Amino acid sequence: MKILVDANVPAADACFAPLGQVSRRPGREIDADSLADVDALVIRSITRLDADLIEAAKAKGSPLSFVGSCTIGTDHVDQAALARHAITFASAPGCNAEPVVDYVLSALMLACERRGQSLLERRVGIVGVGNVGGRLAARLAAMGIEHRLCDPPRAEREAGSRAGDENGQDFVELDALIDSCDVLCLHTPLVREGRHATRHLLDARRIEALAPGTLLLNAGRGDCVDGQALSRRLARGDDLAALLDVWEEEPSIDQVLAHQVALATPHIAGHSLDGKLRGTHQIHQALVAHLGLGERVSLAELLPAPALSRLVLDGGLSPEEALALCMRAVYDPRRDHDRLLRAMAVDDPGKGFDQCRASYPLRREFSTLTLELVGQAQELAPLLSGAGFQVDCR
């Protein structure tokens, strides 16, 4: 069989070469012609697989019978169109949820440090309590950080049973969340229509309702925030800080907004090596199941040892200092902010955005670092383990 894989999917040969002939192509260049003789397609979120593309490929006689997206989100794929042609679809739910939470905590820590504030004293509102939002809530709870939850579809589904999360927290309405929280984190899928539509969920009215000093972080979908309204609000300079990893009109993002926000990154929140390999492996598993075969490679075989696996702390650090040190030992979001702004300055902004993603530096997850806590530093164990690190008290 012939398998076409997005050029940025890691471990493609290890996962798919045992199943057939593998070819690679940049995700934005996948078109009907490239699918003409393809049996299976493996993509990421930048490939828009809509009804027109699927119909055009089938009109050319494409034998396509399987599509796998190595991502949590699925709004870039018209699943109904695939079903009409009996094409099996698989995604990778949860594959990069952990690195997104790493990104969120690192970004919020950076923003608080710049303001001389304590992340541990903020109240975080989480909009969308799915794979990412649920994990973020769990880590915040373990770290002792106050937080509130908003997820209308989930609250509706669970009405009359358990209208709250695993820690017993009730869901609140979005406007109430905005009124009561000084950090707002968006982790919603893009839903364009219906009662729970999320396009411009943060519209001009809600952006105006954000209190001065609020931290607004979007690591869900760019279209969930009205970028023009946010740009107008930021232009007033009233201490609202925006941290954006996702944007409207990617990759040709609003350059003015990119220079207004406190942190601008090119849709890489989930781009840890671990998360990418989990996504690839989940699609490998889905494809072998589709073919009626057994697993050909395990996730453990794909994951290399981390470059930094152990760090010793021996007292003398405040909780905030310890958190910042350990987070940055694994991931510093300033690197991605600076890379994006440099790339957009020297190249076409859209090409610069995509180049930052295509050449993304190696990044591991908090969980790959073991912290050896000696003496007084052992008091930090609950906080650091809650943040996602492995902890070894001596």
Side-chain angles (χ1 to χ4, degrees), residues 9-101:
V9 169
D13 288 338
C15 285
F16 303 114
L19 306 175
Q21 179 184 335
V22 174
S23 59
R24 310 294 291 267
R25 191 176 181 89
R28 295 196 198 279
E29 296 179 12
I30 293 174
D31 56 15
D33 288 336
S34 63
L35 297 177
D37 61 349
V38 167
D39 300 285
L41 174 65
V42 179
I43 59 174
R44 293 187 60 81
S45 59
I46 64 171
T47 300
R48 296 209 60 81
L49 200 62
D50 57 20
D52 289 343
L53 176 54
I54 296 164
E55 295 294 340
K58 282 298 182 178
K60 293 177 179 293
S62 171
L64 186 66
S65 65
F66 176 90
V67 172
S69 182
C70 304
T71 58
I72 292 177
T74 60
D75 54 88
H76 56 297
V77 175
D78 189 331
Q79 296 181 56
L82 292 179
R84 287 195 295 271
H85 291 280
I87 299 172
T88 298
F89 175 69
S91 61
C95 67
N96 64 350
E98 292 295 339
V100 174
V101 178

Coordinates of all heavy atoms in Angstrom, one line a residue, residues 9-101:
V9 N 5.8 15.0 10.4 CA 5.4 13.9 11.3 C 6.7 13.1 11.7 O 7.3 12.5 10.8 CB 4.4 13.0 10.8 CG1 4.2 11.7 11.6 CG2 3.0 13.7 10.6
P10 N 7.1 13.0 13.0 CA 8.3 12.3 13.3 C 8.1 10.8 13.3 O 7.0 10.3 13.5 CB 8.6 12.8 14.7 CG 7.3 13.2 15.3 CD 6.5 13.7 14.1
A11 N 9.2 10.1 13.2 CA 9.2 8.6 13.3 C 8.3 8.0 12.2 O 7.8 6.9 12.5 CB 8.8 8.1 14.7
A12 N 8.0 8.7 11.1 CA 7.1 8.1 10.1 C 7.6 6.8 9.5 O 6.9 5.9 9.3 CB 6.9 9.1 9.0
D13 N 9.0 6.7 9.3 CA 9.5 5.5 8.7 C 9.4 4.3 9.7 O 9.0 3.2 9.3 CB 10.9 5.7 8.3 CG 11.1 6.6 7.1 OD1 10.1 6.7 6.3 OD2 12.2 7.2 6.9
A14 N 9.7 4.6 11.0 CA 9.6 3.5 11.9 C 8.2 3.0 12.1 O 7.9 1.8 12.3 CB 10.1 4.0 13.3
C15 N 7.2 3.9 12.0 CA 5.8 3.6 12.3 C 5.1 3.1 11.0 O 4.2 2.2 11.1 CB 5.1 4.7 12.9 SG 5.5 5.1 14.6
F16 N 5.4 3.6 9.9 CA 4.6 3.3 8.7 C 5.3 2.5 7.6 O 4.7 1.8 6.8 CB 4.0 4.6 8.1 CG 3.2 5.3 9.1 CD1 3.7 6.6 9.6 CD2 2.1 4.8 9.6 CE1 2.9 7.3 10.5 CE2 1.3 5.5 10.6 CZ 1.8 6.7 11.0
A17 N 6.7 2.6 7.5 CA 7.4 1.8 6.5 C 7.2 0.3 6.6 O 7.1 -0.3 5.5 CB 8.9 2.1 6.6
P18 N 7.0 -0.3 7.8 CA 6.7 -1.7 7.8 C 5.3 -2.1 7.2 O 5.1 -3.3 7.0 CB 6.7 -2.0 9.3 CG 7.6 -1.0 9.9 CD 7.3 0.3 9.1
L19 N 4.5 -1.0 6.9 CA 3.2 -1.3 6.4 C 3.0 -1.0 4.9 O 2.0 -1.4 4.3 CB 2.1 -0.4 7.2 CG 2.2 -0.5 8.7 CD1 1.2 0.5 9.4 CD2 1.8 -2.0 9.2
G20 N 4.0 -0.3 4.3 CA 3.8 0.0 2.9 C 4.9 1.0 2.5 O 5.9 1.3 3.2
Q21 N 4.7 1.5 1.3 CA 5.6 2.5 0.7 C 5.3 3.9 1.2 O 4.2 4.4 1.0 CB 5.5 2.5 -0.8 CG 6.4 3.5 -1.6 CD 6.1 3.4 -3.1 OE1 5.7 2.4 -3.6 NE2 6.4 4.5 -3.7
V22 N 6.2 4.5 1.9 CA 6.0 5.8 2.5 C 6.6 6.9 1.7 O 7.7 6.9 1.2 CB 6.6 5.9 3.9 CG1 6.5 7.3 4.5 CG2 5.9 4.9 4.8
S23 N 5.8 8.0 1.4 CA 6.3 9.2 0.8 C 5.9 10.4 1.7 O 5.0 10.3 2.5 CB 5.7 9.4 -0.6 OG 4.3 9.5 -0.5
R24 N 6.7 11.5 1.6 CA 6.6 12.6 2.5 C 6.2 13.9 1.7 O 6.7 14.0 0.6 CB 7.8 12.9 3.3 CG 8.4 11.7 4.1 CD 7.5 11.2 5.2 NE 7.4 12.1 6.3 CZ 8.2 12.0 7.4 NH1 9.1 11.1 7.4 NH2 8.0 12.9 8.3
R25 N 5.4 14.8 2.3 CA 5.1 16.0 1.6 C 4.7 17.0 2.6 O 4.1 16.7 3.7 CB 3.9 15.8 0.7 CG 3.5 16.9 -0.3 CD 2.4 16.5 -1.2 NE 2.1 17.5 -2.2 CZ 2.7 17.7 -3.4 NH1 3.6 16.8 -3.7 NH2 2.3 18.7 -4.2
P26 N 5.1 18.3 2.5 CA 4.7 19.4 3.4 C 3.2 19.4 3.6 O 2.4 19.3 2.6 CB 5.2 20.7 2.8 CG 6.4 20.2 2.0 CD 6.0 18.8 1.4
G27 N 2.7 19.6 4.8 CA 1.3 19.5 5.0 C 0.4 20.4 4.2 O -0.7 20.1 3.8
R28 N 0.9 21.6 4.0 CA 0.1 22.6 3.3 C 0.1 22.3 1.8 O -0.7 23.0 1.0 CB 0.6 24.0 3.5 CG 0.4 24.5 5.0 CD 0.5 26.0 5.1 NE 0.7 26.3 6.5 CZ -0.2 26.4 7.5 NH1 -1.5 26.2 7.1 NH2 0.1 26.8 8.7
E29 N 0.9 21.4 1.3 CA 1.0 21.1 -0.1 C 0.2 19.9 -0.5 O 0.2 19.4 -1.7 CB 2.5 21.0 -0.6 CG 3.3 22.3 -0.4 CD 4.7 22.1 -0.8 OE1 5.0 21.1 -1.4 OE2 5.5 23.0 -0.5
I30 N -0.4 19.2 0.5 CA -1.2 18.0 0.2 C -2.5 18.4 -0.6 O -3.3 19.2 0.0 CB -1.5 17.3 1.5 CG1 -0.2 16.7 2.1 CG2 -2.5 16.1 1.2 CD1 -0.4 16.0 3.4
D31 N -2.6 17.9 -1.8 CA -3.8 18.3 -2.6 C -4.3 17.0 -3.3 O -3.9 15.9 -3.0 CB -3.4 19.3 -3.7 CG -2.2 18.9 -4.6 OD1 -1.9 17.7 -4.5 OD2 -1.6 19.8 -5.2
A32 N -5.3 17.2 -4.1 CA -6.0 16.1 -4.8 C -5.0 15.3 -5.6 O -5.1 14.0 -5.6 CB -7.2 16.5 -5.6
D33 N -4.1 16.0 -6.3 CA -3.2 15.2 -7.2 C -2.2 14.4 -6.4 O -1.9 13.2 -6.8 CB -2.3 16.2 -8.0 CG -3.1 16.9 -9.1 OD1 -4.1 16.3 -9.5 OD2 -2.7 18.0 -9.5
S34 N -1.8 14.8 -5.2 CA -0.9 14.1 -4.4 C -1.6 12.8 -3.7 O -0.9 11.9 -3.3 CB -0.3 14.9 -3.3 OG -1.3 15.4 -2.4
L35 N -2.9 12.8 -3.8 CA -3.7 11.7 -3.2 C -4.2 10.7 -4.2 O -4.8 9.7 -3.9 CB -4.9 12.2 -2.4 CG -4.6 13.1 -1.2 CD1 -5.9 13.6 -0.6 CD2 -3.8 12.4 -0.1
A36 N -3.8 11.0 -5.5 CA -4.4 10.2 -6.6 C -4.1 8.7 -6.5 O -5.0 7.9 -6.8 CB -3.8 10.7 -7.9
D37 N -3.0 8.3 -5.9 CA -2.7 6.8 -5.8 C -2.4 6.4 -4.4 O -1.7 5.4 -4.1 CB -1.5 6.5 -6.7 CG -0.2 7.2 -6.4 OD1 -0.3 8.2 -5.6 OD2 0.8 6.8 -6.9
V38 N -2.9 7.2 -3.4 CA -2.6 7.0 -2.0 C -3.7 6.2 -1.3 O -4.8 6.4 -1.5 CB -2.4 8.3 -1.3 CG1 -2.4 8.2 0.2 CG2 -1.1 9.0 -1.8
D39 N -3.2 5.1 -0.6 CA -4.2 4.3 0.2 C -4.4 4.9 1.6 O -5.5 4.7 2.1 CB -3.6 2.9 0.3 CG -3.4 2.2 -1.0 OD1 -4.4 1.8 -1.6 OD2 -2.3 2.1 -1.5
A40 N -3.4 5.5 2.2 CA -3.5 6.0 3.6 C -2.8 7.3 3.7 O -1.7 7.5 3.1 CB -2.9 5.0 4.6
L41 N -3.4 8.2 4.4 CA -2.9 9.6 4.6 C -2.7 9.9 6.0 O -3.6 9.7 6.8 CB -3.9 10.6 3.9 CG -3.6 12.1 4.1 CD1 -2.3 12.5 3.4 CD2 -4.7 12.9 3.6
V42 N -1.5 10.4 6.4 CA -1.2 10.8 7.8 C -0.9 12.3 7.8 O 0.1 12.7 7.1 CB -0.1 9.9 8.4 CG1 0.2 10.3 9.8 CG2 -0.4 8.4 8.3
I43 N -1.6 13.1 8.5 CA -1.5 14.5 8.5 C -1.4 15.1 9.9 O -1.5 14.4 10.9 CB -2.7 15.2 7.8 CG1 -4.0 14.8 8.5 CG2 -2.7 14.8 6.3 CD1 -5.2 15.5 7.9
R44 N -1.2 16.4 10.0 CA -1.3 17.2 11.2 C -2.3 18.3 11.0 O -3.0 18.3 9.9 CB 0.1 17.8 11.6 CG 1.1 16.7 12.0 CD 2.3 17.2 12.6 NE 2.1 18.0 13.8 CZ 1.9 17.5 15.0 NH1 1.9 16.3 15.2 NH2 1.7 18.3 16.0
S45 N -2.4 19.2 11.9 CA -3.6 20.2 11.8 C -3.5 21.2 10.7 O -4.5 21.8 10.4 CB -3.7 20.9 13.2 OG -2.5 21.6 13.5
I46 N -2.3 21.4 10.1 CA -2.2 22.4 9.1 C -2.8 22.0 7.7 O -3.0 22.8 6.8 CB -0.7 22.9 8.9 CG1 0.2 21.8 8.3 CG2 -0.1 23.5 10.2 CD1 1.5 22.2 7.9
T47 N -3.1 20.7 7.6 CA -3.7 20.2 6.3 C -5.2 20.3 6.5 O -5.8 19.6 7.3 CB -3.3 18.8 6.0 OG1 -1.8 18.7 5.9 CG2 -3.9 18.3 4.8
R48 N -5.9 21.1 5.7 CA -7.3 21.2 5.7 C -7.9 20.2 4.7 O -7.8 20.3 3.5 CB -7.8 22.6 5.3 CG -7.3 23.6 6.4 CD -8.3 24.8 6.4 NE -9.6 24.4 6.8 CZ -10.0 24.2 8.1 NH1 -9.1 24.3 9.1 NH2 -11.2 23.8 8.4
L49 N -8.5 19.1 5.2 CA -9.0 18.0 4.4 C -10.5 18.2 4.4 O -11.3 17.6 5.1 CB -8.6 16.7 5.0 CG -8.7 15.5 4.1 CD1 -7.7 15.6 3.0 CD2 -8.4 14.2 4.9
D50 N -11.0 19.1 3.4 CA -12.4 19.4 3.3 C -13.1 18.6 2.3 O -12.4 17.8 1.6 CB -12.6 20.9 3.1 CG -11.9 21.4 1.8 OD1 -11.6 20.6 0.9 OD2 -11.7 22.6 1.7
A51 N -14.4 18.8 2.1 CA -15.2 17.9 1.2 C -14.7 18.1 -0.2 O -14.6 17.1 -1.0 CB -16.6 18.3 1.3
D52 N -14.3 19.3 -0.6 CA -13.9 19.6 -2.0 C -12.6 18.8 -2.3 O -12.5 18.2 -3.4 CB -13.6 21.1 -2.2 CG -14.9 21.9 -2.3 OD1 -16.0 21.3 -2.4 OD2 -14.8 23.1 -2.1
L53 N -11.7 18.8 -1.4 CA -10.4 18.1 -1.6 C -10.7 16.6 -1.7 O -10.1 15.8 -2.5 CB -9.4 18.4 -0.5 CG -8.1 17.6 -0.5 CD1 -7.4 17.8 -1.8 CD2 -7.2 18.1 0.6
I54 N -11.5 16.0 -0.8 CA -11.8 14.6 -0.8 C -12.5 14.2 -2.1 O -12.2 13.2 -2.7 CB -12.6 14.3 0.5 CG1 -11.8 14.5 1.8 CG2 -13.1 12.8 0.4 CD1 -12.7 14.6 3.0
E55 N -13.5 15.0 -2.5 CA -14.2 14.7 -3.7 C -13.3 14.7 -4.9 O -13.4 13.9 -5.8 CB -15.4 15.7 -3.9 CG -16.5 15.6 -2.8 CD -17.2 14.3 -2.9 OE1 -17.2 13.6 -3.9 OE2 -17.9 13.9 -1.8
A56 N -12.4 15.7 -4.9 CA -11.5 15.9 -6.1 C -10.5 14.7 -6.1 O -10.2 14.2 -7.2 CB -10.7 17.2 -6.0
A57 N -10.1 14.2 -5.0 CA -9.2 13.1 -4.9 C -9.9 11.8 -5.4 O -9.3 11.0 -6.2 CB -8.6 12.9 -3.5
K58 N -11.1 11.6 -5.0 CA -11.8 10.4 -5.4 C -12.2 10.5 -6.9 O -12.2 9.4 -7.5 CB -13.1 10.3 -4.5 CG -12.9 9.8 -3.1 CD -12.3 8.4 -3.2 CE -12.1 7.7 -1.9 NZ -11.5 6.3 -2.0
A59 N -12.4 11.7 -7.4 CA -12.7 11.8 -8.8 C -11.5 11.4 -9.6 O -11.7 11.0 -10.8 CB -13.1 13.3 -9.1
K60 N -10.3 11.5 -9.1 CA -9.1 11.1 -9.8 C -8.8 9.6 -9.6 O -7.8 9.1 -10.0 CB -7.9 12.0 -9.3 CG -8.0 13.4 -9.7 CD -6.8 14.2 -9.1 CE -6.9 15.7 -9.5 NZ -6.7 15.8 -11.0
G61 N -9.7 8.9 -8.9 CA -9.6 7.5 -8.7 C -8.7 7.1 -7.5 O -8.3 6.0 -7.4
S62 N -8.6 8.0 -6.5 CA -7.8 7.7 -5.3 C -8.4 6.5 -4.6 O -9.6 6.5 -4.3 CB -7.7 9.0 -4.4 OG -7.1 8.6 -3.2
P63 N -7.5 5.6 -4.2 CA -7.9 4.4 -3.4 C -8.0 4.7 -1.9 O -8.0 3.8 -1.1 CB -6.9 3.4 -3.7 CG -5.6 4.1 -4.0 CD -6.1 5.4 -4.6
L64 N -7.9 6.0 -1.5 CA -7.7 6.4 -0.1 C -8.8 5.7 0.7 O -10.0 5.8 0.5 CB -7.9 7.9 0.0 CG -7.7 8.5 1.4 CD1 -6.2 8.3 1.8 CD2 -8.0 10.0 1.4
S65 N -8.4 5.0 1.8 CA -9.3 4.3 2.6 C -9.1 4.6 4.1 O -9.8 4.2 5.0 CB -9.2 2.8 2.4 OG -8.0 2.3 2.8
F66 N -8.0 5.4 4.4 CA -7.7 5.7 5.8 C -7.0 7.1 5.9 O -6.1 7.4 5.1 CB -6.7 4.6 6.4 CG -6.2 4.9 7.8 CD1 -6.9 4.5 8.9 CD2 -5.1 5.7 8.0 CE1 -6.5 4.7 10.2 CE2 -4.7 6.0 9.3 CZ -5.4 5.5 10.4
V67 N -7.5 7.9 6.8 CA -6.9 9.2 7.2 C -6.6 9.2 8.6 O -7.5 8.9 9.5 CB -7.8 10.3 6.7 CG1 -7.2 11.6 7.3 CG2 -8.0 10.4 5.2
G68 N -5.4 9.5 9.0 CA -5.1 9.7 10.4 C -4.5 11.0 10.7 O -3.6 11.5 9.9
S69 N -4.9 11.7 11.7 CA -4.4 13.0 12.1 C -3.7 12.9 13.4 O -4.3 12.5 14.4 CB -5.5 14.1 12.2 OG -4.9 15.4 12.5
C70 N -2.4 13.2 13.4 CA -1.6 13.0 14.6 C -1.8 14.2 15.6 O -0.8 14.7 16.1 CB -0.1 12.9 14.3 SG 0.3 11.6 13.1
T71 N -3.0 14.5 15.9 CA -3.3 15.7 16.7 C -4.6 15.4 17.5 O -5.3 14.5 17.2 CB -3.7 16.9 15.8 OG1 -4.7 16.6 14.9 CG2 -2.5 17.3 14.9
I72 N -4.7 16.3 18.5 CA -6.0 16.2 19.4 C -7.1 16.7 18.6 O -8.2 16.1 18.5 CB -5.8 17.0 20.7 CG1 -4.8 16.4 21.6 CG2 -7.1 17.2 21.4 CD1 -4.5 17.2 22.8
G73 N -7.0 17.9 18.0 CA -8.1 18.6 17.3 C -8.4 17.9 16.0 O -7.6 17.3 15.3
T74 N -9.7 18.0 15.6 CA -10.2 17.4 14.3 C -10.9 18.4 13.4 O -11.5 18.0 12.4 CB -11.1 16.2 14.7 OG1 -12.2 16.7 15.4 CG2 -10.3 15.1 15.5
D75 N -11.0 19.6 13.8 CA -11.8 20.6 13.0 C -11.2 20.9 11.6 O -11.9 21.5 10.8 CB -12.0 21.9 13.8 CG -10.7 22.5 14.2 OD1 -10.1 23.3 13.4 OD2 -10.3 22.3 15.3
H76 N -10.0 20.4 11.3 CA -9.4 20.6 10.0 C -9.8 19.5 9.1 O -9.4 19.5 7.9 CB -7.9 20.7 10.1 CG -7.3 19.5 10.8 ND1 -7.5 19.1 12.1 CD2 -6.4 18.5 10.3 CE1 -6.8 18.1 12.4 NE2 -6.2 17.7 11.4
V77 N -10.6 18.5 9.5 CA -11.0 17.3 8.7 C -12.5 17.3 8.6 O -13.2 17.3 9.6 CB -10.4 16.0 9.3 CG1 -10.9 14.8 8.5 CG2 -8.9 16.1 9.3
D78 N -13.0 17.1 7.4 CA -14.5 16.9 7.2 C -14.8 15.4 7.3 O -14.7 14.7 6.4 CB -14.9 17.5 5.8 CG -16.4 17.5 5.6 OD1 -17.1 16.7 6.3 OD2 -16.9 18.3 4.9
Q79 N -15.1 15.0 8.5 CA -15.3 13.6 8.8 C -16.5 13.1 8.1 O -16.6 11.9 7.7 CB -15.4 13.4 10.3 CG -14.1 13.7 11.0 CD -14.2 13.4 12.5 OE1 -14.5 12.3 13.0 NE2 -13.9 14.5 13.3
A80 N -17.6 13.9 7.9 CA -18.8 13.5 7.2 C -18.4 13.1 5.7 O -18.9 12.1 5.2 CB -19.8 14.6 7.3
A81 N -17.6 14.0 5.1 CA -17.2 13.7 3.7 C -16.4 12.4 3.7 O -16.5 11.6 2.7 CB -16.3 14.8 3.2
L82 N -15.5 12.1 4.6 CA -14.8 10.9 4.7 C -15.7 9.7 4.8 O -15.6 8.7 4.1 CB -13.8 10.9 5.8 CG -12.6 11.8 5.7 CD1 -11.7 11.7 7.0 CD2 -11.7 11.6 4.5
A83 N -16.7 9.8 5.7 CA -17.7 8.8 5.9 C -18.5 8.4 4.6 O -18.8 7.3 4.4 CB -18.6 9.1 7.0
R84 N -18.8 9.5 3.9 CA -19.5 9.2 2.6 C -18.8 8.3 1.7 O -19.4 7.6 0.8 CB -19.9 10.5 1.9 CG -21.0 11.3 2.7 CD -21.5 12.4 1.8 NE -20.6 13.5 1.4 CZ -20.3 14.5 2.2 NH1 -21.0 14.7 3.3 NH2 -19.5 15.4 1.8
H85 N -17.5 8.3 1.8 CA -16.6 7.5 0.9 C -16.1 6.3 1.6 O -15.1 5.7 1.1 CB -15.5 8.3 0.3 CG -16.0 9.4 -0.7 ND1 -16.3 9.0 -2.0 CD2 -16.2 10.7 -0.6 CE1 -16.7 10.1 -2.6 NE2 -16.6 11.2 -1.8
A86 N -16.6 6.0 2.8 CA -16.2 4.8 3.6 C -14.7 4.9 3.9 O -14.0 3.9 3.9 CB -16.6 3.5 2.9
I87 N -14.2 6.1 4.2 CA -12.8 6.3 4.5 C -12.7 6.3 6.1 O -13.3 7.1 6.7 CB -12.2 7.6 3.9 CG1 -12.3 7.5 2.4 CG2 -10.8 7.8 4.4 CD1 -11.9 8.9 1.8
T88 N -11.9 5.4 6.6 CA -11.7 5.4 8.1 C -10.9 6.6 8.5 O -10.0 7.0 7.9 CB -11.0 4.1 8.5 OG1 -11.8 3.0 8.1 CG2 -10.8 4.1 10.0
F89 N -11.4 7.2 9.6 CA -10.7 8.4 10.2 C -10.2 8.1 11.6 O -11.0 7.5 12.4 CB -11.5 9.6 10.2 CG -10.9 10.8 10.8 CD1 -9.8 11.4 10.3 CD2 -11.3 11.3 12.1 CE1 -9.1 12.5 10.9 CE2 -10.7 12.4 12.7 CZ -9.6 13.0 12.1
A90 N -9.0 8.5 12.0 CA -8.5 8.4 13.3 C -7.8 9.6 13.7 O -7.1 10.2 12.9 CB -7.6 7.2 13.5
S91 N -7.9 10.1 14.9 CA -7.1 11.2 15.5 C -6.3 10.7 16.7 O -6.3 9.5 16.9 CB -8.0 12.4 15.8 OG -8.9 12.0 16.8
A92 N -5.6 11.6 17.4 CA -4.8 11.2 18.5 C -5.2 11.9 19.7 O -4.4 12.8 20.2 CB -3.3 11.4 18.1
P93 N -6.4 11.7 20.3 CA -6.8 12.5 21.4 C -5.9 12.3 22.6 O -5.4 11.2 22.9 CB -8.2 11.9 21.8 CG -8.2 10.5 21.1 CD -7.3 10.7 19.9
G94 N -5.5 13.4 23.2 CA -4.6 13.4 24.4 C -3.2 13.3 24.1 O -2.3 13.4 25.0
C95 N -2.8 13.1 22.8 CA -1.3 12.8 22.5 C -0.4 14.0 23.0 O 0.7 13.7 23.5 CB -1.1 12.6 21.1 SG -1.4 14.0 20.0
N96 N -0.9 15.2 22.8 CA 0.0 16.3 23.2 C -0.6 17.2 24.3 O -0.2 18.4 24.4 CB 0.4 17.2 22.0 CG -0.9 17.9 21.3 OD1 -2.0 17.6 21.7 ND2 -0.6 18.7 20.4
A97 N -1.5 16.6 25.1 CA -2.1 17.4 26.1 C -1.1 17.8 27.2 O -1.1 18.9 27.7 CB -3.3 16.6 26.8
E98 N -0.2 16.9 27.6 CA 0.8 17.2 28.6 C 1.7 18.3 28.2 O 2.0 19.2 29.0 CB 1.5 15.9 29.0 CG 0.7 14.8 29.7 CD 0.2 15.2 31.0 OE1 0.7 16.2 31.6 OE2 -0.8 14.6 31.5
P99 N 2.3 18.3 27.0 CA 3.2 19.4 26.7 C 2.4 20.8 26.6 O 3.0 21.8 26.8 CB 3.8 19.1 25.3 CG 2.9 18.0 24.8 CD 2.4 17.2 26.0
V100 N 1.1 20.7 26.2 CA 0.4 22.0 26.2 C 0.3 22.5 27.6 O 0.4 23.7 27.9 CB -1.0 21.8 25.6 CG1 -1.9 23.1 25.7 CG2 -0.9 21.4 24.1
V101 N 0.0 21.6 28.6 CA 0.0 22.1 30.0 C 1.3 22.6 30.4 O 1.4 23.6 31.1 CB -0.5 21.0 30.9 CG1 -0.6 21.4 32.4 CG2 -2.0 20.5 30.5

